[in-house]
Amino acid sequence: MNFAILALGIACMGVSIGEGILVGSFMKAAARQPELFNKLRTMIFLGVGFIEGTFFVTFAFTFFVK
């Protein structure tokens, strides 16, 4: 068993957990202050975009590790 693939899989899982925490915090903030929803939405799109980019790079590395 290749431990590098396992480590990259755990990293992908960590990225997914981080994205869930980010979106959950966004929902709480939007519920508390609905007038900031538009500002928060642009920030959430940027955050999720960067997190998804990290996820796909780590996921792609799992196929290149031998």
Side-chain angles (χ1 to χ4, degrees), residues 3-61:
F3 289 112
I5 293 174
L6 180 65
L8 287 171
I10 292 171
C12 285
M13 185 177 65
V15 167
S16 299
I17 290 170
E19 186 174 355
I21 291 171
L22 177 71
V23 172
S25 298
F26 166 72
M27 293 297 180
K28 286 180 186 176
R32 286 185 187 151
Q33 293 184 330
E35 65 274 3
L36 291 177
F37 183 78
N38 290 330
K39 280 187 179 180
L40 292 172
R41 186 176 52 197
T42 39
M43 297 304 287
I44 193 85
F45 282 146
L46 283 172
V48 167
F50 285 126
I51 290 173
E52 286 294 319
T54 306
F55 170 77
F56 285 122
V57 167
T58 354
F59 186 66
F61 278 140

